C-alpha cells in the first residue's frame, strides 16, 4: 500500500506580537467559565448555517443529526464540543483561526474592544476563549462542500500551530480541549452541567450532555436516550396568542424555583426599529425592601449573556424578574458588558412604555385585581415615578391611593372625594395620611370625627412620594395626621392664639422643657384648642419629619438627617388642667409631669425609668 502523502504544515498565528494569548486571557475574557458558552455558540452558528443552506436548496443532502454533543472524559481531563454543522475547509481554518489579522496586541484591542455585531459566528474570537482553560486545543473539521478534505489543527497556547489532514469522515467540527492543571474544576461533570444550565439552556439547537438516567437496582444508571440540556423554543420566542396563564407561570417557576407565583407579566415582542423579545414578571414580595435585583436575564439569540441589565433596563425595573433577548444589544467583544449606543436608550424607553401600557390596561380592565395586588405593586410604581419622569407622567393615570379603611382610589377619584371637606383657607386640598394605623390610632379617629378621610402611606418611599405628588397635583398639601392638632391640620380660618407677653411665653417654655426628655429639641407654644381637647399635644412638624425620613433613604438631604429630633409642644390654655397648673405652679408638679407623660405615652416616647415613674405617680394620684 502506498504511503499517504502528508499535508502537514506548520506556522505562526498571524500576529506580530510575541504572544496574543495572554491578551486574550487577561483582557478579552475576564471570566474564564464563558469558554464553553463561546464554543457552543460557534457550534450553534455552524448548525444554523447548515439549516439555512438546506432550506435554500444549496445543500441538497440529508442534514442528519443536528444536535450538538458535549463530551467529557473526567479521568483524562478532556472536553469535546461536537457539531454536525457546515464544518471548515483548510482555507477557512487558515482564515478564521490562523490569520487573526492584527499587527500587534495593541491593534487587536483597538480593533475589537467596541465590536457590536457579528459576535456569534466570529469563529476565531469565540474559539480562542478555549485557551483560558486548556494546555492544548485541537480542531478536527470537515466542510459540507463536496471534495474538501478533513482538517486537523493543533496548538499548545503559543503562536505556533500545526495543520494536517484529519481522519474525520463526517461533516462538522470537533473541538477538543486538554484542560490545564489550574482548570481541573472544568473536568467535573457537575461543573459542566452547571455551565450548560447557566449559559446554554435556551439555545436554539439541541445540546446533548451524556445520557438520561433512571433508578435501577438501587442506583442511577444511564439509559440509551440522549440527555438534552436545553429548551430550543423558550416561552419568549412564541406568540402571546398561543400561550395561557399557566404557561407563563410554569416558565417563571422554571426560572425561579423557590419564588411565589408572579402577580403580572408583560410579553415583549418588537421587530422595529430593533429586535427585542422577552417576558418581564412583577414578582410577589413579602418584605418590600428585601428585594432581589439582577433577576432579569439578558440573552442574545437565546444565548445567556448576563443578569446585570442596569444599562438597558431603567433602574426601577431592575426590581422585576424575567428575560430579555435581543441581537441588537451592543456588547463588547467578550459579551461581558454593554456598550454605549443609541439602541440601548431606545430599548430602555420601549420597555418603560410597555410596562406602563400593561399597568394602565390592568387598571382599566382588571381594577379589582390591581387593588388586590396594589400593596405589593406600589413599591415598583412609586420607585418608577420618583426615578423616571416619562413613567411618572403615565403612572398618574393608574396610581392608587389606599385609605385607613382599606378602600382604594385613583388620584382623580380621591381628590373629588375629599376636596369638599378638606380644603383649607388657602384653597389647598389637604391630603391627611397615617404611616401606622395602630400607633396613630387616636389621631386617625380624631380626624375621622371631624369628617376627614385619612390615607395609609406605609411604603418606605412615601416620604419622597408625597413630596412628588405635592409637585404634580396643583393646589395640594400632604399632612401626616399626627403632625398637629386636628383643628390645625386643615385650617378653615385664621385662629386666635392666646395673648402672652414674651416673658410669659419663655416662662411657659422653660416650665415644660424642664420635664420633657432632654435628648430632643422642643418648640413650646400656647394655643386655644378648646376645653375638651388634650392638655398638651406633642407633634413633629410635617416639614422636618418628612425631610428626616427622606434623608434616611438618601437623596442629598443628610443635613436634616444629622439634626437632633425636634418636636412641637402645643399647650392647650383652655384645658382646665392646664389652667390649674398655670394658676398654682408650686403645688402642681406631679400634675405637670403627668400631663407631659400622657402626651409622651401617646407618641410612644415614654420608656424605661420615665415609664416606671409615670405608673407610680398615676397610682399615687389615683389614691388621692
Amino acid at each position: 500500500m502506498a504511503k499517504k502523502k502528508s499535508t502537514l504544515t506548520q506556522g505562526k498565528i498571524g500576529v506580530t506580537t510575541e504572544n496574543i494569548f495572554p491578551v486574550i486571557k487577561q483582557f478579552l475574557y475576564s471570566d474564564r467559565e464563558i469558554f464553553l458558552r463561546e464554543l457552543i455558540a460557534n457550534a450553534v452558528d455552524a448548525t444554523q448555517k447548515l439549516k439555512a443552506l438546506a432550506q435554500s436548496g444549496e445543500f441538497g443532502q440529508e442534514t442528519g443529526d443536528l444536535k450538538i454533543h458535549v463530551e467529557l472524559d473526567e479521568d483524562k481531563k478532556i472536553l469535546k464540543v461536537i457539531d454536525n454543522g457546515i464544518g471548515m475547509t483548510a482555507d477557512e481554518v487558515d482564515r478564521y483561526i490562523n490569520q487573526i489579522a492584527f499587527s500587534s496586541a495593541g491593534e487587536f484591542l483597538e480593533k475589537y474592544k467596541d465590536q457590536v455585531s457579528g459576535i456569534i459566528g466570529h469563529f476565531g474570537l469565540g474559539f480562542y476563549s478555549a485557551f483560558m482553560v486548556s494546555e492544548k486545543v485541537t480542531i478536527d473539521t470537515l466542510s459540507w462542500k463536496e471534495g474538501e478534505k478533513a482538517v486537523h489543527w493543533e496548538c499548545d497556547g503559543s503562536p505556533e500551530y500545526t495543520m494536517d489532514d484529519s481522519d474525520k469522515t463526517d461533516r462538522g467540527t470537533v473541538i477538543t480541549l486538554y484542560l490545564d492543571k489550574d482548570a481541573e474544576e472544568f473536568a467535573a461533570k457537575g461543573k459542566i452541567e452547571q455551565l450548560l444550565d447557566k449559559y446554554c439552556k435556551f439555545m436554539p439547537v439541541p445540546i446533548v450532555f451524556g445520557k438520561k438516567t433512571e433508578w435501577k437496582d438501587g442506583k442511577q444508571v444511564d439509559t440509551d436516550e440522549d440527555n438534552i440540556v436545553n429548551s430550543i423554543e423558550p416561552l419568549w420566542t412564541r406568540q402571546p396568542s398561543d400561550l395561557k396563564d399557566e404557561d407563563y407561570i410554569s416558565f417563571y417557576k422554571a426560572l425561579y424555583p423557590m419564588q411565589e407565583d408572579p402577580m403580572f407579566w408583560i410579553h415583549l415582542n418588537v421587530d422595529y426599529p430593533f429586535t427585542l423579545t422577552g417576558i418581564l414578571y412583577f414578582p410577589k414580595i413579602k418584605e418590600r425592601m428585601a428585594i432581589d435585583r439582577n433577576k432579569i436575564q439578558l440573552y442574545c439569540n437565546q444565548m445567556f449573556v448576563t443578569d446585570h441589565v442596569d444599562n438597558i433596563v431603567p433602574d426601577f425595573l431592575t426590581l422585576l424578574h424575567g428575560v430579555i433577548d435581543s441581537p441588537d444589544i451592543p456588547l463588547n467583544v467578550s459579551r461581558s458588558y454593554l456598550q454605549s449606543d443609541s439602541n440601548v436608550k431606545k430599548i430602555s424607553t420601549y420597555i418603560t412604555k410597555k410596562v406602563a401600557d400593561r399597568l394602565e390596561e390592568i387598571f382599566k380592565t382588571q381594577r379589582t385585581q390591581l387593588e388586590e395586588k396594589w400593596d405589593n405593586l406600589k413599591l415598583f410604581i412609586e420607585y418608577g415615578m420618583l426615578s423616571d419622569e416619562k413613567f411618572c407622567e403615565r403612572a398618574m393615570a393608574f396610581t392608587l391611593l389606599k385609605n385607613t379603611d382599606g378602600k382604594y382610589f385613583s388620584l382623580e377619584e380621591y381628590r373629588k372625594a375629599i376636596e369638599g371637606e378638606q380644603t383649607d383657607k388657602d384653597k389647598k386640598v389637604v391630603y391627611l395620611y397615617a404611616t401606622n394605623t395602630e400607633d396613630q390610632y387616636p389621631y386617625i379617629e380624631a380626624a375621622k370625627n371631624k369628617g376627614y378621610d385619612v390615607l395609609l402611606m406605609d411604603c418606605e418611599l412615601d416620604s419622597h412620594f408625597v413630596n412628588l405628588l405635592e409637585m404634580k397635583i396643583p393646589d395640594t398639601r400632604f399632612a401626616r395626621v399626627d403632625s398637629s392638632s386636628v383643628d390645625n391640620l386643615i385650617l378653615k380660618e385664621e385662629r386666635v392664639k392666646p395673648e402672652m407677653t414674651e416673658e410669659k411665653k419663655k416662662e411657659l417654655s422653660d416650665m415644660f422643657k424642664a420635664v420633657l426628655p432632654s435628648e430632643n429639641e422642643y418648640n413650646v407654644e400656647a394655643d386655644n384648642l378648646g376645653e375638651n381637647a388634650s392638655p398638651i399635644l406633642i407633634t413633629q412638624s410635617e416639614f422636618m419629619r418628612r425631610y428626616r425620613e427622606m434623608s434616611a433613604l438618601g437623596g442629598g438631604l443628610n443635613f436634616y438627617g444629622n439634626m437632633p429630633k425636634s418636636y412641637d409642644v402645643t399647650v392647650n390654655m383652655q384645658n382646665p388642667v392646664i389652667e390649674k397648673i398655670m394658676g398654682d405652679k408650686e403645688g402642681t408638679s406631679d400634675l405637670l409631669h403627668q400631663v407631659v407623660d400622657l402626651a409622651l405615652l401617646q407618641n410612644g416616647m415614654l420608656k424605661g425609668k420615665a415609664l416606671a415613674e409615670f405608673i407610680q405617680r398615676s397610682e399615687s394620684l389615683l389614691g388621692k
Side-chain angles (χ1 to χ4, degrees), residues 431-435 440 457 459 462-464 466-467 470 478-484 489 539-553 557 560-561 563-568 603:
Y431 292 59
L432 301 179
Y433 69 96
T435 56
Q440 295 157 342
M457 305 289 278
C459 181
D462 275 334
S463 55
H464 287 270
V466 297
N467 241 36
E470 282 180 339
F478 278 74
R480 203 167 86 168
V481 72
D482 59 351
S483 62
S484 188
L489 287 171
T539 57
Q540 275 189 287
S541 79
E542 176 68 19
F543 176 84
M544 289 300 297
R545 181 202 47 74
R546 190 191 301 180
Y547 278 84
R548 283 182 64 89
E549 290 175 359
M550 290 168 71
S551 172
L553 281 172
L557 299 166
Y560 294 102
M563 290 178 68
K565 281 190 176 180
S566 176
Y567 294 89
D568 292 329
N603 284 273

Side-chain angles (χ1 to χ4, degrees), residues 53-71:
L53 290 169
Q55 287 171 358
S56 69
E58 198 170 345
F59 179 72
Q61 303 172 32
E62 290 292 322
T63 57
D65 176 15
L66 291 183
K67 299 187 188 82
I68 293 167
H69 291 257
V70 179
E71 296 180 0

Side-chain angles (χ1 to χ4, degrees), residues 192 226 550 585:
I192 298 302
D226 284 341
M550 290 168 71
K585 298 183 185 65

Side-chain angles (χ1 to χ4, degrees), residues 30-266:
S30 56
D31 185 358
R32 65 182 187 165
E33 72 173 28
I34 57 85
F35 79 93
L36 189 57
R37 176 191 74 183
E38 297 298 306
L39 295 179
I40 291 177
N42 285 331
V44 167
D45 188 64
T47 305
Q48 298 286 60
K49 285 177 178 175
L50 187 77
K51 288 181 181 178
L53 290 169
Q55 287 171 358
S56 69
E58 198 170 345
F59 179 72
Q61 303 172 32
E62 290 292 322
T63 57
D65 176 15
L66 291 183
K67 299 187 188 82
I68 293 167
H69 291 257
V70 179
E71 296 180 0
L72 175 67
D73 186 325
E74 292 184 88
D75 296 328
K76 294 182 179 179
K77 298 179 174 42
I78 294 174
L79 182 66
K80 294 184 178 183
V81 176
I82 305 164
D83 72 71
N84 295 322
I86 57 173
M88 288 182 286
T89 65
D91 286 343
E92 287 167 341
V93 171
D94 192 52
R95 185 162 70 250
Y96 296 141
I97 303 300
N98 300 337
Q99 299 303 319
I100 309 177
F102 337 106
S103 60
S104 68
E107 185 180 322
F108 170 85
L109 302 184
E110 184 62 31
K111 180 172 181 178
Y112 285 101
K113 68 179 181 180
D114 294 326
Q115 178 105 7
V116 297
S117 62
I119 303 296
I120 298 177
H122 199 311
F123 192 92
L125 292 178
F127 166 73
Y128 277 111
S129 65
F131 285 96
M132 291 190 297
V133 297
S134 307
E135 62 182 16
K136 183 174 77 173
V137 179
T138 67
I139 304 171
D140 287 279
T141 184
L142 177 60
S143 173
W144 67 280
K145 298 172 183 176
E146 288 191 31
E148 293 291 341
K149 289 182 179 180
V151 181
H152 175 82
W153 180 95
E154 187 173 312
C155 181
D156 63 0
S158 68
E160 286 80 18
Y161 67 87
T162 61
M163 271 180 70
D164 200 354
D165 291 341
S166 171
D167 57 7
K168 183 173 174 57
T169 57
D170 54 333
R171 182 199 68 241
T173 301
V174 179
I175 309 293
T176 304
L177 283 66
Y178 297 81
L179 296 169
D180 251 329
K181 281 190 169 59
D182 69 350
E184 290 183 356
E185 63 179 299
F186 299 109
K189 181 183 177 185
K191 182 65 173 179
I192 298 302
E193 285 175 338
Q194 176 197 341
L195 296 186
L196 290 171
D197 182 67
K198 179 176 180 179
Y199 292 108
C200 307
K201 64 182 172 184
F202 296 121
M203 282 189 171
V205 175
I207 300 167
V208 176
F209 184 53
K211 298 292 184 181
K212 286 191 174 179
T213 60
E214 65 179 11
W215 188 259
K216 193 173 183 180
D217 299 329
K219 60 181 180 179
Q220 290 290 128
V221 295
D222 288 345
T223 66
D224 294 330
E225 187 180 354
D226 284 341
N227 177 38
I228 296 174
V229 300
N230 60 322
S231 168
I232 63 172
E233 287 189 355
L235 208 68
W236 74 82
T237 65
R238 297 164 61 186
Q239 289 299 315
S241 57
D242 298 333
L243 300 171
K244 298 177 180 177
D245 288 357
E246 295 78 22
D247 298 319
Y248 288 104
I249 292 171
S250 296
F251 183 62
Y252 183 80
K253 290 287 190 182
L255 290 174
Y256 314 103
M258 306 304 291
Q259 296 282 341
E260 290 188 56
D261 288 356
M263 294 184 289
F264 302 113
W265 50 85
I266 300 161

